[in-house]
Every structure is written in structure tokens, then in C-alpha cells.
Amino acid sequence: MPRDSVLQLVDAGETYRHWLHERLGQTLVDDLMSPDQALEWHGLCRALRLGEAPLPDDVDEDAIAGSGLPLETWLSEPVSGDSGAADLSPLWLVGGPHSGSCTLVHELLLGLCGARGSGARARLGDALPVPLVLCGRTVRGPLGMLGMDVRWDSHASAAAAIERWWALAERDVRRGVQRGFIADGLRAAARPLVVIAGIDELPPPARAAAAGWIAELCAAGAPVLATTRTAAVPELEALRAAGRLRRGFIQPLARPVVDRFLARWARLPGDLEHAAAPDLRAAIDGAPARLALARRPVTLTLLAVLVAAAGSAPDSLLELQRGLLARLDGARPSHRLLMARIVADRDSPLPFAERAGWLAALVAAAAAHDHPELGDTLGRDPE
């Protein structure tokens, strides 16, 4: 390839990464957390590790310590022991409710859009990310990207979906970043890391299409990261059984990671109150069930908020969510948003009738306070 063409390709790649980083970064800060709290939360999820088998949240600490490897390490290891594989390994990540899996994938994408030669780009061979689906929704939803009024499940093949991605990305980059941007070189030269996250959260037609894309990419040995909330996904299990897809489970947080997060969280300014770190640790140590709750990023953060508001913490997720709904102040934007995320949590142990009782008030608050993030959150629950 002529030197000028190489330089143009490099420049196009950097422009694309800059654009995607900006789009992804828009979700880092919202009304729920202060910027400092959001960064600390993302740091907590970066500490997550993957293992070959799931570990229960109430497992002994010794079983967690030293178990698992970072997501990037899993991606860079070949399928079926093929040490000669040059590409990233097709990977199926299983992360249950409240495990932080969406944020972990988000962090990977941000790293791949970072500075050249650093972080995830250095460790993963400068892989170019293409996030077709994030957290069970098309990127149009959670990222506000591209203005894509398209049905992704209308594309029969992964190649067609990726081509549609490049066309829409090219248009959006031209509109907001670089008027003369052309993605043709990236289409031809790059073998992107395709992210299809949360397929078990999709409605049946979109799920079938996404599963077909994963099968197509795995058959070609192309880099793909698929995520689900459960391992009971027959479409992906068939690929794993055939040796085309590795599977890793998000492991519970180790106690040093929990303590480090609590110590930092307790010092950060933000609208979500925080108790002193010793009080938080004492609340967690008060019962084995609370320690189990603290081993998942979402429930650990909910515990920190409730201890600050109530001075104590319950022993179950049901009472944790119920306690927060009773004590949060609907007049405050961050509290409204946290309440909405509890109400819209499809895995919540709260009876649906009880969640629905909060729904009308929160919908009214979204309209009265012109709070689009609140409306978007409430719209996540397919029920």
C-alpha cells in the first residue's frame, strides 16, 4: 500500500476512534452520579475478572482470591488451544444481573478508542471496535448515536449489519467531526472486534438475527464479543460445544477490591450520599448475606447509598431495593434516576405490582421535570 494511503488509513482510524470515544463518553456522566463517582464506578467494573466456571456470591473469599483473568486476556487467548491464531478470540461473556458486565464492555470499548499504543489498544493489537448491540439494545438507545431509525434485525447477515454500521458511522462523523471523512479504507483493511452484547435481552426476531451474526463471525474465525446474562443460551452453547467460541463467567468481587472502592467512594462528592468507609465495611461484615450482596458492583453501590440514608443495610436484594425506594427523595434528579433503575430492573425481586405502583409517579416526574434520562431508563423494561 502506498505511504499516502497508509497515512490516510491511520488518520481515518484515529478519527473514527475519537468519534466513538466521544459518543461512548456521553454515557459516563448523567444525573445519577457525579463525574468523580462515575469514574470510580467504572474503575470498580474494570477490576472484574472472568473464570471458566461461575462462582456463587456467597463463596469463601479464598475461592475468589486470585481467580479469573481480565477480559482483555480472555479475548487475546486463542480458541481450542490454537496457539498460532493471530486474531482475537471469539468470546462469550456471561455476566448475571447486577454484575457490571455492561460497564465492563463499555470500558473495553473506551480503551480501544484511547491513545495509540496504550491500554487496551496495545494489549489487543489495535483492534477496531464495532459495537452493533450494547446491553441488549441497539446503540441508538443507550448511546444516542447516529440517529439510527433502523431495524438491525432486518439485516440477514453479519456482513450486512457491519456494512450498515460503517455507512451510518461515516455519515455521523462527517456531520460532527470531519466533513471529508471516508470509511472505505477501514471497511477494507480492518478486521473489527464486533460487540454483540446482551442478546438474551433482545426480542425474539432481533435475538435470532444477532445469534446468526455471531455464528457467521465464529465460522469465519472473526473477532466477536458476545455477552448474555445467563449461560442458558442454546444458540451460543452450540458454538461453544463445536469449539468455535470460548465462554467466561464474571467472578464475584474480591474483598480487597470492595474495600478499596468503599474507601474511595466515601470521599467523593456527589448527590448520592455516602457513609464513612468504616461504617460501610461494618455493615457488610454484619451478615454473610450482605457480604454476598457486596460482591456485585451494582448491589455494592446500592448498599453504600442505603447505609448512608438509613444507617443500616438489609440482608436481601428485595429489602435493599424496597428500602431505597422508601428513602430516596423523588424531588432530586439523582434519586429519581436511581428509583427508576430499580423500578425498570427486569431482574428485581420486587413484585411487579409493587414496581408498577412507583411507575406512574416516576413517569409524571420525567414529564414535569423535563428529565429525558429518566424517561429513557423507565423505557428499558419490556414488561
Side-chain angles (χ1 to χ4, degrees), residues 35-176:
D36 288 339
Q37 287 176 331
L39 289 172
E40 195 59 47
W41 159 256
H42 276 246
L44 175 66
C45 293
R46 277 197 305 273
L48 290 166
R49 297 292 181 261
L50 276 64
E52 293 184 356
L55 288 177
D57 292 342
D58 59 357
V59 72
D60 290 340
E61 183 67 25
D62 291 343
I64 302 175
S67 70
L69 294 169
L71 173 58
E72 293 169 14
T73 302
W74 275 76
L75 281 168
S76 62
E77 291 186 355
V79 177
S80 301
D82 181 6
S83 59
D87 289 320
L88 300 182
S89 170
L91 178 63
W92 173 14
L93 182 159
V94 181
H98 316 121
S99 67
S101 59
C102 283
T103 304
L104 179 61
V105 172
H106 193 160
E107 277 295 300
L108 172 71
L109 293 170
L110 286 172
L112 289 173
C113 294
R116 190 184 308 166
S118 65
R121 288 185 65 174
R123 291 187 288 271
L124 297 179
D126 225 26
L128 200 68
V130 170
L132 292 183
V133 181
L134 285 179
C135 300
R137 306 169 73 207
T138 63
V139 292
R140 180 171 57 87
L143 304 181
M145 293 173 63
L146 303 180
M148 293 188 299
D149 293 319
V150 299
R151 288 176 53 85
W152 283 98
D153 53 316
S154 68
H155 300 290
S157 69
I162 293 169
E163 173 57 32
R164 181 62 171 158
W165 167 269
W166 284 122
L168 292 166
E170 183 178 78
R171 184 187 70 182
D172 198 64
V173 174
R174 287 178 178 177
R175 184 170 54 194

Side-chain angles (χ1 to χ4, degrees), residues 145-308:
M145 293 173 63
L146 303 180
M148 293 188 299
D149 293 319
V150 299
R151 288 176 53 85
W152 283 98
D153 53 316
S154 68
H155 300 290
S157 69
I162 293 169
E163 173 57 32
R164 181 62 171 158
W165 167 269
W166 284 122
L168 292 166
E170 183 178 78
R171 184 187 70 182
D172 198 64
V173 174
R174 287 178 178 177
R175 184 170 54 194
V177 179
Q178 186 182 94
R179 182 170 297 178
F181 176 78
I182 298 175
D184 290 351
L186 299 180
R187 284 185 176 95
R191 199 177 193 197
L193 171 61
V194 178
V195 175
I196 303 175
I199 73 163
D200 55 342
E201 301 174 60
L202 294 170
R207 171 173 171 158
W213 300 343
I214 295 167
E216 179 185 337
L217 292 165
C218 287
V224 58
L225 172 62
T227 78
T228 62
R229 288 179 163 227
T230 172
V233 182
E235 307 96 316
L236 300 190
E237 176 56 28
L239 295 171
R240 189 189 73 85
R244 292 181 173 177
L245 187 65
R246 300 176 73 224
R247 183 178 65 190
F249 294 84
I250 290 184
Q251 305 293 284
L253 292 168
R255 186 56 191 262
V257 175
V258 170
D259 287 344
R260 184 164 59 249
F261 171 76
L262 293 177
R264 293 173 177 172
W265 182 267
R267 298 195 301 265
L268 294 175
D271 202 34
L272 293 180
E273 292 79 4
H274 41 72
D279 294 336
L280 294 171
R281 289 194 296 269
I284 289 170
D285 289 332
R290 287 179 221 150
L291 179 58
L293 287 171
R295 285 175 167 165
R296 295 297 176 184
V298 172
T299 45
L300 171 60
T301 308
L302 293 181
L303 278 170
V305 174
L306 185 57
V307 170

